Amino acid sequence: MRIYNTLAGEKEEFIPVTPGQVRMYSCGITAYDHCHIGHARSAIVFDVMRRYIKYRGYDITYIRNFTDIDDKIINRAKQEGIAWDAVAQKYIDEYYRDMDMLGVGRADVEPRATEYIAEMIEIVSGLISKGYAYESEGSVYFEVAKFGGYGKLSKRDLEDMLAGARIEVNERKKNPMDFALWKSSKEGEPAWESPWGPGRPGWHIECSAMSLKHLGVTFDIHGGGADLIFPHHENEIAQSEAFTGKPFVKYWVHNGFITVDKEKMSKSLGNFFTIKDILNKFDSEPVRYFLLSTHYRSPIEFSDEQLKEAEASIDRYYTTVLRTRDFLAQAVTVEKSAPDEKVLEDLLGRFIPGFMEAMDDDFNTALAIGGIFELIRVLNKYMDGKPAGAKASSLINRAQDLLKEAGGVLNIFNRTPEQWYKALMVSKNISLTEADIEAKIADRRKARADKDWTAADLIRKELEEKGIILEDKKDGTGWKVKV
RNA sequence: GGCGACGUACCCAAGUGGCUAAGGGGGAGGUCUGCAAAACCUUUAUUCAGCGGUUCAAAUCCGCUCGUCGCCUCCA
């Protein structure tokens, strides 16, 4: 496997610290507001990395944290007139609802910052005694000038950053770039006892404490959105490496942003879409597919148009699944090979190697999906040749298994066509029930038997206007939701 | 100002030195069908923002130009 390492600035061969074992950490959310599609991208990307690493035979431990104490949470609590921890809990619950919908699995450990106050205090104390941090009016700051490697992840040097202005002056800091490890709390704010008086942890220290506790001194993969590279991840490196004296993380991976009208989706611009809003209009599978159809490091332009295309692609997939099922259900009478048997056989042989080659190359899900649709096309073409018998059934079964295997890693394409159509009926607000549709199909069957084509076509048209497409097959009429 | 990324067909999107430039969506024509739908076939990039260079060979490496975006402040 090759992984693009932000620290190295290039793809590197993946060699875990401990052979056969992978330890991975990704930055979760600060629980103070609804999650938007950008959070979904990050969560899905790391979910797929985790699934693939596991598929590749590694024993993986995956940690994803929740920041449950922070200025934004405190402000939100004031706004909503509820306790800060109630705010955190509310948005964590909501996060789980969103992620469950999107097929994002739970991490092995999902620590919350406030459960690790003691560990954080220990690190902060250690950093003070080692001379990397100083206390000032009840707060503790990390002195970046003392840490030689500062800037190595974000590729910038301290001098340039100081010259770059846009840094607020803070009387308590020795240097404007110094960052808070521990913040003294004002009266009425949540606070924990510490050697420096009542206060709360700074944002960055929690990830250092929780990863150290669960993954050890040096671990394999640390991920997050590209906007966390600086300052968050840079600061994590400084704290952790200053404290342990050992390398913090071997591979840093960062996902790209979602854009709207070419601009980064962000709270301040107000151009964001919450996961909830999107799932009101679209089923979750097209959303997940859409986010995986572009390489994780590239920007993705978000639009309804794109989601509709994703819907069409998924529909193509399930339509083919339905077709293979109809095919396998046919009574076998004779053994007949189709002209493209060899082509299909060849492709079946190299499908999984091709899938792995794509995923091994820095988790190229876009290429992997391309391979899936290549198989879909070849499979359809093969069935067009009207093969029959045991050999044909075995090839088609094999194709289905392989598609399921690849889909399992991406966690898409793993429903039945019926579940897909049902989901579409919900997301598209189809007013008909399945019984309504079946009744119309029965009416139309009668009309067709009487060769009353006008009446038959009228029923077809009527259903189409309500979003249902009829398909006449040899042994009856099927239906599907129009995408 | 500093650092970085990107620019591939009508749209989305792989491909980063050498097999016919993946795949999806859309358009046009066709096969099939009572009509459709689905599927399949043909077609839609002699060319990868532009210019110049390196090389037997470049979308892929180097340089310049143009354009777009990001980080440098909380941010997935």
Side-chain angles (χ1 to χ4, degrees):
Chain A
M1 281 171 66
R2 291 172 63 76
I3 298 181
Y4 183 90
N5 186 353
T6 307
L7 192 58
E10 60 186 12
K11 286 182 202 170
E12 292 182 332
E13 186 61 33
F14 178 66
I15 303 164
V17 176
T18 307
Q21 286 186 11
V22 177
R23 288 168 292 162
M24 172 163 142
Y25 185 102
S26 81
C27 289
I29 55 155
T30 297
Y32 78 106
D33 202 353
H34 308 285
C35 287
H36 59 66
I37 184 76
H39 297 103
R41 182 180 197 189
S42 192
I44 288 170
V45 159
F46 293 108
D47 183 61
V48 167
M49 285 183 191
R50 181 241 202 134
R51 286 172 197 270
Y52 184 65
I53 288 167
K54 193 169 182 182
Y55 174 78
R56 228 32 189 79
Y58 292 99
D59 180 15
I60 179 167
T61 305
Y62 176 46
I63 315 283
R64 187 184 53 215
N65 71 300
F66 285 110
T67 299
D68 64 345
I69 181 65
D70 166 274
D71 289 355
K72 291 191 291 283
I73 294 172
I74 294 169
N75 290 336
R76 176 57 70 120
K78 280 180 201 154
Q79 271 175 35
E80 297 195 9
I82 54 177
W84 65 271
D85 47 350
V87 169
Q89 191 58 49
K90 174 179 162 184
Y91 289 108
I92 287 171
D93 290 344
E94 199 172 288
Y95 175 83
Y96 278 133
R97 277 199 293 276
D98 288 344
M99 294 304 136
D100 288 350
M101 293 282 285
L102 292 170
V104 173
R106 302 289 165 103
D108 298 303
V109 186
E110 304 191 327
R112 301 183 187 194
T114 57
E115 294 164 350
Y116 294 82
I117 300 289
E119 286 82 353
M120 290 189 251
I121 288 173
E122 192 189 326
I123 294 174
V124 176
S125 299
L127 288 170
I128 292 175
S129 59
K130 288 179 189 215
Y132 286 105
Y134 55 90
E135 188 263 330
S136 174
E137 298 174 37
S139 292
V140 181
Y141 296 95
F142 186 92
E143 192 168 358
V144 294
K146 291 275 174 69
F147 182 72
Y150 198 74
K152 66 183 176 183
L153 182 69
S154 54
K155 314 273 184 277
R156 56 192 86 205
D157 72 52
L158 216 44
E159 299 285 314
D160 289 346
M161 282 188 273
L162 288 171
R166 287 180 76 186
I167 299 163
E168 66 186 276
V169 179
N170 182 333
E171 293 298 318
R172 294 169 170 181
K173 293 184 187 179
K174 288 188 188 173
N175 180 313
M177 293 310 297
D178 291 351
F179 59 89
L181 295 167
W182 186 263
K183 294 167 140 177
S184 67
S185 289
K186 295 191 204 83
E187 195 58 39
E189 284 179 347
W192 285 262
E193 278 312 313
S194 82
W196 318 284
R200 60 182 184 274
W203 174 35
H204 317 295
I205 193 69
E206 63 178 83
C207 292
S208 291
M210 296 186 290
S211 64
L212 181 62
K213 173 115 179 187
H214 293 289
L215 298 176
V217 171
T218 302
F219 62 95
D220 301 296
I221 299 173
H222 190 131
D227 45 5
L228 296 181
I229 294 172
F230 189 89
H232 185 54
H233 290 162
E234 195 69 73
N235 292 353
E236 277 186 49
I237 292 175
Q239 295 161 348
S240 293
E241 297 192 350
F243 181 68
T244 66
K246 298 269 172 37
F248 178 41
V249 168
K250 216 170 163 190
Y251 304 92
W252 284 92
V253 291
H254 294 97
N255 63 275
F257 301 126
I258 292 182
T259 59
V260 174
D261 295 329
K262 300 270 179 189
E263 275 186 313
K264 180 188 169 186
M265 188 182 283
S266 73
K267 287 275 164 88
S268 49
L269 287 167
N271 60 348
F272 61 90
F273 295 88
T274 65
I275 295 172
K276 213 176 301 299
D277 287 345
I278 293 163
L279 292 181
N280 251 324
K281 287 170 78 176
F282 292 93
D283 177 64
S284 61
E285 194 168 356
V287 176
R288 190 169 168 110
Y289 175 93
F290 160 67
L291 294 173
L292 294 175
S293 63
T294 297
H295 185 86
Y296 76 89
R297 282 188 285 116
S298 304
I300 298 189
E301 174 74 10
F302 178 83
S303 69
D304 280 13
E305 226 18 72
Q306 298 265 56
L307 285 176
K308 279 180 192 151
E309 282 191 14
E311 237 173 24
S313 297
I314 293 170
D315 197 62
R316 176 168 163 77
Y317 182 91
Y318 284 117
T319 301
T320 304
V321 171
L322 201 57
R323 196 176 167 202
T324 60
R325 222 171 50 189
D326 288 348
F327 179 90
L328 292 170
Q330 284 169 4
V332 179
T333 47
V334 287
E335 197 73 18
K336 179 175 174 291
S337 65
D340 293 293
E341 185 177 285
K342 189 81 179 60
V343 179
L344 178 60
E345 246 180 332
D346 283 354
L347 184 56
L348 291 177
R350 57 191 164 80
F351 178 76
I352 291 295
F355 175 75
M356 287 174 66
E357 196 181 329
M359 294 298 286
D360 274 353
D361 184 13
D362 197 27
F363 307 103
N364 194 336
T365 52
L367 186 58
I369 289 172
I372 289 174
F373 281 100
E374 187 189 2
L375 179 51
I376 291 287
R377 194 192 68 242
V378 170
L379 184 58
N380 271 312
K381 190 172 180 182
Y382 173 69
M383 288 188 287
D384 277 357
K386 302 198 189 308
K391 175 78 189 266
S393 296
S394 134
L395 285 177
I396 288 170
N397 269 316
R398 178 99 198 286
Q400 276 193 335
D401 290 346
L402 296 178
L403 288 168
K404 261 183 219 157
E405 184 173 333
V409 173
L410 302 175
N411 203 14
I412 48 178
F413 301 142
N414 49 14
R415 293 191 277 189
T416 63
E418 286 76 17
Q419 288 171 321
W420 165 242
Y421 295 133
K422 220 169 267 180
L424 275 179
M425 286 180 81
V426 173
S427 66
K428 293 195 174 295
N429 289 315
I430 304 278
S431 55
L432 300 164
T433 64
E434 288 175 62
D436 293 338
I437 297 167
E438 291 301 339
K440 290 286 178 191
I441 288 174
D443 291 348
R444 183 163 166 277
R445 190 183 307 129
K446 271 187 221 116
R448 291 183 78 211
D450 297 342
K451 299 230 185 305
D452 184 353
W453 307 125
T454 314
D457 289 350
L458 199 67
I459 292 170
R460 182 204 294 288
K461 192 151 179 276
E462 189 189 326
L463 285 175
E464 187 174 349
E465 277 162 8
K466 290 179 177 167
I468 300 296
I469 304 270
L470 296 185
E471 285 188 20
D472 292 329
K473 293 183 262 193
K474 245 187 226 126
D475 49 353
T477 298
W479 61 272
K480 54 186 280 187
V481 180
K482 190 180 177 182
V483 295

